[in-house]
Amino acid sequence: MEEEELDCPNSSSEKRYFPESLDSSDGDEEGILACEDLELNPFDGLPYSSRYYKLLKEREALPIWKEKYSFMENLLQNQIVIVSGDANCGRSSQVPQWCAEYCLSIHYQHGGVVCTQVHRQTAVQLALRVADEMDVNIGHEVGYVIPFENCCTSETILRYCTDDMLQREMMSNPFLGSYGVIILDDIHERSIATDVLLGLLKDVLLARPELKLIINSSPLLISKLSSYYGNVPLIEVKTKRPVEVVYLSGAPKEALESVLRLLFEIHQSGEKGDIVVFLACEQDIEKAYEIVCQEGSNLNPDLGELVVVPLYPKEKCALFKPNDETEQRCQVHQRRVVLTTSSGESLIWSNTVKFVIDVGVERRKVYNPRIRATSLVLQPISQSQAEIRKQILGSSSSGKLFCLYSEEFASKDMRPLKVAEMQEANLTSMVLFMKRVDIAGLGHCDFMNRPAPSCFSHLPRGTEEAALTCWKPFLHPEGDHFTLINIYKAYQDTTLSSTSEHCVEKWCHDHFLNCSALRMADVIRAELLEIIKRIELPYAEPAFGSQENTLNIKKALLSGYFMQTARDVDGSGNYLMLTHKQVAQLHPLSGYSITKTTPEWVLFHEFSISDNNYITITSETTPELFMQLAPQYYFSNLPPSESKEILQQVMDRLSPISPMETEQQVCEKCPETTEPRCTLQ
C-alpha cells in the first residue's frame, strides 16, 4: 500500500473550519452564538470538526481508554511508566496523544513527544491515524521521521519515528533535549536500536530528571522489564478475546501444503472474514501466492473472489480499519488472504480478519562474526510471538486461530520470549554508533540482553561460585579453547541422549551455559562440514584427547590469531601484547584463573579495555610454534621489545639459514603431504 493511496482526511492544507450548518446561517444570531460555543482544539486553536467527535467515540471504546486517568496520574508523579497491553488495545495511538496533552499542560517547557516504532510503515500509518484523531494536519502538529523522509516542522508537537532514527539523533543531541517525553513502543520486537536506546536512556534519565520515559510492551516481557528498570509503575490493559484456538500437528516440511489445504477449506466453508497466514519465509510467500492465484480461478464464484495480498518484509504496510461501506463490500464479494512472515506481527490489522493460520516456525537471519556471514536458520517462533499472532483476532467479534503445531510443541520447543536481535545480528553499525557517542565499549552500556555468542550464561550476582563448580569438569589444561570444545562435546552428548529440547535447555541452565550459543555452534559446524564435503576436501574425524589433535588445534588457532599473542613479562600474570605496549590480565573466569596457573606465552581471543584490562579465551602457546606459523612480514614489523628478542633467538636456533629460505622450504613441503588436512572438532 503506497502512502499516497491512504485515506488521510487531515493531510491536506484545506483543513475544516466550521460545520456545514454554520456556513448556511447567513450571519443570523443563532449561527453566531453557535460559533462562539464551538469547542476549540488546544493544539491549533481551531474548532473541532464533526469527524473528531466521531473518532472520539471509537477511541473511548478502546480497552486502554479506561486506564487514561491512572496513566496521567503516574506520568505526573514518575519518570518511567511501563504500559502493558495486547496489540489491539490502543496503546500505540492513545498513549502518545495523552503524553502530548501532558506536554501542552506544562507549555512544552521540556520539549515535545517522540514515539519510536520498529517498522517505518507502522510509524507513518500511526502518525496519519493520530493526526486524524487529534483533528490536526499531518506534518504540522503531528509528523513522522523515517529514513530518507522527514514529515515534521520545528513546531511539531508529536512525532513518530523509527527507533534507528532516534538513535541517530543521539549522535548530534546525546541528551535528546528537544523532547519532554520519549515513548519506546513495541519493545518486545527486540530490535538492536530499541535495545540500545533502552540502555542509553538510563543515563539520559539521570542527567535529565524532567524527562519522562514511557515503555509500551506486550505482557510477556513485563517481568524482564521490571527487573531491568526496578520498581516502576505498571499500567496493565486487560482485554478479552473470544478466539478459538485449533492445534493441527504436522511436520515443518509439509507446512506449506497444510496451509494451502486449510486455506481452501475455510473459503469453501462459506464463513465470512479475511484470512492472515504466517509463513516461515519470503520463498513460502511466493510459492503460496502463485498456487492460490492459480487455484482461486477454479473455485465456486458464489463464494466470492479470493484476493491474495503478499506482504513481504521489505513492503510492510498496515491494514487500517475500513469504513462501513468497504467492509460490507468485502464481506459480500471478496475475501482477502494476507500472506506474511514474522515481520507482520506488529502491523495494524483490520477488524475484518476472522482467521489466522500460524505455521509456528520462521527463518531467522543469524550472523556469524567468525566467518562474517549471515545464515538463514529455520527455528520455532517464541511463545510471545504466538500470543501476538493470536491478538490479531482481538478486534474481531470472534475468530479462529489455526496452529499447525501441537500444544506440546508450543510448551516444550518454543522459548518464552523472542531472541533479541542484538544476540544474532551483525553489530558493526552498532559498535560504530557507540564509538560515535563516546562510549568506550559495549560493557559500559547496560543492555537488557548482552551481545553473544559466549556459551557461558551471564552470571547473576552471588552465583559465581556455583557456576565455577559446574564448569570445573570441563576445564582443559591446554587452555580455554579446549575447554570450549569439551563443553560443546558435552552439549552434543546431552542432545543425543535427551528426549526433548526442553531437557537440553534444562541441562544448559543447570550448568550455567548459554543454550542458544551452543545451538548456534552446532549449526555453524554443520555448515562448515557441508562446505568441506561439497568442495571435496580431505576430512578426518577429530581424535579427542590425543596429543596430535591438540597440536593441530593450536596450529589452526595460531594460523588465524597470530596477531593476538601475549607474553607474561614478570611471571605474575601481567601479559604484554606483542603488537603494542598494552598490559592485561587473564579474565577471572578463564580456566587458568580458576586453576591459578599462568603460562608464559598465550594466544587470546579478545582483548577488552576497561577499568581492568582483560584477555579472554586464552590458550597456551610456545615461541617455537609462533615462529613456525606467523608470517615473516608480521614478525619483522613487531615493535622492539624483550619478547621480540626472545622470538629472534628462537628463530636463530630453529634454522641457521635465512627466514625467507625457511618459509620457502615449508611451502615446498606442503603439497607433498598426504595426510587429511581438515578436521572439525
Side-chain angles (χ1 to χ4, degrees):
M1 184 185 298
E2 298 296 329
E3 293 169 23
E4 51 269 20
E5 296 176 357
L6 295 171
D7 179 22
C8 182
N10 294 338
S11 60
S12 67
S13 59
E14 298 177 0
K15 188 184 170 184
R16 78 286 169 272
Y17 290 97
F18 299 98
E20 293 179 3
S21 59
L22 293 178
D23 294 342
S24 60
S25 63
D26 294 329
D28 60 19
E29 187 175 352
E30 290 183 2
I32 295 173
L33 289 175
C35 182
E36 291 176 351
D37 292 340
L38 283 177
E39 185 180 1
L40 299 181
N41 188 334
F43 292 104
D44 62 5
L46 298 175
Y48 283 123
S49 67
S50 58
R51 179 171 175 79
Y52 168 80
Y53 295 102
K54 178 184 177 181
L55 293 177
L56 181 60
K57 289 182 179 180
E58 296 180 6
R59 294 169 60 193
E60 290 173 347
L62 292 171
I64 198 172
W65 190 266
K66 63 184 68 172
E67 305 294 337
K68 180 176 181 180
Y69 176 81
S70 175
F71 173 81
M72 298 299 288
E73 188 177 27
N74 279 289
L75 181 63
L76 285 170
Q77 299 176 359
N78 299 275
Q79 195 176 18
I80 303 176
V81 179
I82 298 176
V83 179
S84 166
D86 292 344
N88 292 303
C89 72
R91 51 181 165 80
S92 298
S93 60
Q94 303 310 304
V95 169
Q97 295 186 57
W98 299 343
C99 293
E101 293 176 12
Y102 161 77
C103 290
L104 174 66
S105 67
I106 60 174
H107 307 290
Y108 310 109
Q109 57 180 322
H110 304 309
V113 181
V114 62
C115 179
T116 66
Q117 298 293 320
V118 176
H119 306 298
R120 63 176 68 187
Q121 281 294 339
T122 310
V124 174
Q125 299 287 7
L126 282 170
L128 291 168
R129 167 183 285 192
V130 168
D132 197 15
E133 292 182 352
M134 292 176 64
D135 216 18
V136 296
N137 290 329
I138 187 69
H140 294 272
E141 292 81 10
V142 176
Y144 60 86
V145 180
I146 60 175
F148 310 112
E149 187 173 359
N150 186 347
C151 185
C152 291
T153 67
S154 58
E155 298 178 355
T156 299
I157 302 162
L158 167 59
R159 68 181 64 194
Y160 283 86
C161 70
T162 52
D163 49 7
D164 58 329
M165 293 303 292
L166 185 62
Q167 176 185 290
R168 188 179 302 177
E169 188 174 344
M170 292 189 74
M171 290 194 291
S172 58
N173 185 11
F175 295 104
L176 299 173
S178 56
Y179 304 114
V181 180
I182 297 175
I183 306 169
L184 300 182
D185 199 10
D186 287 340
I187 68 162
H188 51 267
E189 290 273 333
R190 304 307 307 277
S191 68
I192 292 178
T194 294
D195 273 13
V196 169
L197 288 171
L198 280 170
L200 296 182
L201 285 175
K202 272 191 166 184
D203 293 332
V204 176
L205 290 170
L206 292 174
R208 292 186 57 200
E210 76 283 359
L211 178 64
K212 306 287 186 178
L213 174 63
I214 312 300
I215 300 171
N216 287 346
S217 176
S218 67
L220 290 173
L221 196 62
I222 293 306
S223 59
K224 192 173 186 67
L225 278 172
S226 299
S227 61
Y228 181 66
Y229 275 106
N231 186 22
V232 297
L234 170 64
I235 306 295
E236 293 186 271
V237 183
K238 303 294 184 181
T239 54
K240 294 182 179 180
R241 298 179 305 276
V243 177
E244 178 184 350
V245 181
V246 180
Y247 291 96
L248 303 170
S249 59
K253 294 182 179 179
E254 303 171 356
L256 186 58
E257 297 177 9
S258 302
V259 165
L260 296 172
R261 184 167 56 250
L262 180 58
L263 191 154
F264 290 124
E265 288 177 1
I266 293 173
H267 184 61
Q268 292 172 353
S269 70
E271 294 185 66
K272 303 298 181 183
D274 294 336
I275 306 172
V276 175
V277 182
F278 284 97
L279 298 169
C281 59
E282 294 183 41
Q283 289 77 10
D284 286 352
I285 292 180
E286 294 172 356
K287 292 178 184 177
Y289 177 75
E290 183 179 353
I291 294 173
V292 175
C293 288
Q294 290 175 352
E295 298 294 329
S297 58
N298 301 325
L299 298 175
N300 185 354
D302 295 337
L303 296 174
E305 182 184 0
L306 204 60
V307 180
V308 188
V309 183
L311 292 185
Y312 298 100
K314 294 182 180 179
E315 300 174 3
K316 305 185 191 82
C317 66
L319 301 180
F320 270 87
K321 177 180 178 181
N323 56 40
D324 297 338
E325 182 182 351
T326 305
E327 184 174 350
Q328 186 177 6
R329 187 171 65 250
C330 289
Q331 290 178 352
V332 175
H333 300 291
Q334 293 182 343
R335 183 199 302 275
R336 287 181 296 181
V337 177
V338 182
L339 306 175
T340 185
T341 61
S342 298
S343 60
E345 292 167 356
S346 63
L347 303 183
I348 306 169
W349 294 97
S350 164
N351 59 7
T352 59
V353 176
K354 305 294 183 182
F355 305 95
V356 172
I357 302 175
D358 181 11
V359 298
V361 294
E362 63 178 346
R363 286 199 181 274
R364 293 179 63 88
K365 289 185 177 180
V366 180
Y367 179 74
N368 179 9
R370 299 181 189 279
I371 60 175
R372 297 179 181 178
T374 300
S375 305
L376 285 174
V377 182
L378 184 68
Q379 59 186 20
I381 62 172
S382 66
Q383 294 173 8
S384 62
Q385 290 175 274
E387 181 63 24
I388 290 173
R389 297 178 181 189
K390 180 181 177 182
Q391 293 168 11
I392 291 173
L393 297 166
S395 59
S396 305
S397 57
S398 62
K400 287 184 180 179
L401 170 65
F402 295 93
C403 301
L404 301 187
Y405 49 86
S406 63
E407 289 187 77
E408 183 181 9
F409 177 86
S411 60
K412 292 185 177 180
D413 293 298
M414 289 183 177
R415 64 188 73 196
L417 298 173
K418 185 178 181 179
V419 178
E421 186 183 5
M422 184 177 291
Q423 296 182 312
E424 294 183 336
N426 187 348
L427 301 180
T428 302
S429 60
M430 187 195 75
V431 172
L432 292 174
F433 164 75
M434 302 289 276
K435 296 294 184 184
R436 177 65 180 81
V437 294
D438 293 330
I439 295 178
L442 300 181
H444 292 261
C445 187
D446 185 13
F447 294 118
M448 191 155 61
N449 284 95
R450 292 189 172 277
S454 172
C455 72
F456 298 105
S457 294
H458 177 68
L459 298 180
R461 189 179 299 276
T463 62
E464 291 85 354
E465 290 298 326
L468 293 179
T469 302
C470 293
W471 294 342
K472 278 185 179 179
F474 302 127
L475 296 182
H476 194 287
E478 295 292 343
D480 296 336
H481 294 90
F482 300 88
T483 298
L484 293 177
I485 293 175
N486 285 344
I487 291 173
Y488 175 69
K489 192 172 185 304
Y491 166 77
Q492 279 188 315
D493 295 340
T494 304
T495 302
L496 292 174
S497 61
S498 299
T499 56
S500 68
E501 189 68 25
H502 177 71
C503 297
V504 178
E505 291 180 355
K506 185 179 184 304
W507 178 84
C508 292
H509 180 269
D510 293 343
H511 288 81
F512 297 91
L513 300 174
N514 188 327
C515 188
S516 61
L518 288 167
R519 193 182 291 119
M520 182 52 54
D522 211 20
V523 172
I524 293 170
R525 185 185 188 278
E527 288 184 356
L528 290 174
L529 184 58
E530 182 184 351
I531 292 171
I532 289 173
K533 291 180 178 179
R534 186 170 68 246
I535 61 180
E536 298 181 353
L537 287 175
Y539 171 76
E541 289 295 330
F544 287 109
S546 68
Q547 290 185 352
E548 181 184 5
N549 190 58
T550 300
L551 180 60
N552 287 337
I553 293 173
K554 287 188 174 184
K555 287 182 177 179
L557 290 171
L558 198 53
S559 297
Y561 287 92
F562 57 85
M563 296 179 67
Q564 295 171 204
T565 308
R567 171 176 166 265
D568 183 3
V569 293
D570 56 7
S572 61
N574 291 315
Y575 287 89
L576 183 69
M577 313 290 121
L578 287 186
T579 52
H580 47 77
K581 295 184 179 180
Q582 291 279 0
V583 177
Q585 287 76 39
L586 297 171
H587 193 275
L589 295 181
S590 169
Y592 292 124
S593 299
I594 297 173
T595 57
K596 302 188 185 309
T597 56
T598 53
E600 182 180 1
W601 292 82
V602 295
L603 176 144
F604 60 91
H605 183 74
E606 190 176 51
F607 170 51
S608 59
I609 301 177
S610 58
D611 295 336
N612 296 311
N613 293 353
Y614 288 128
I615 48 176
T616 57
I617 311 182
T618 53
S619 292
E620 184 176 12
T621 187
T622 62
E624 291 78 11
L625 199 60
F626 177 88
M627 292 309 303
Q628 289 177 23
L629 297 172
Q632 175 61 31
Y633 72 86
Y634 174 72
F635 172 75
S636 302
N637 288 285
L638 286 176
S641 66
E642 183 183 358
S643 299
K644 185 176 183 179
E645 293 177 2
I646 295 174
L647 292 173
Q648 182 66 52
Q649 295 172 6
V650 169
M651 185 176 68
D652 296 340
R653 186 173 66 251
L654 287 175
S655 176
I657 58 179
S658 67
M660 293 296 294
E661 293 178 4
T662 303
E663 186 175 352
Q664 184 177 359
Q665 288 180 3
V666 172
C667 293
E668 290 173 352
K669 292 180 180 178
C670 288
E672 299 176 3
T673 179
T674 58
E675 296 181 358
R677 288 166 291 174
C678 296
T679 303
L680 282 178
Q681 301 301 318

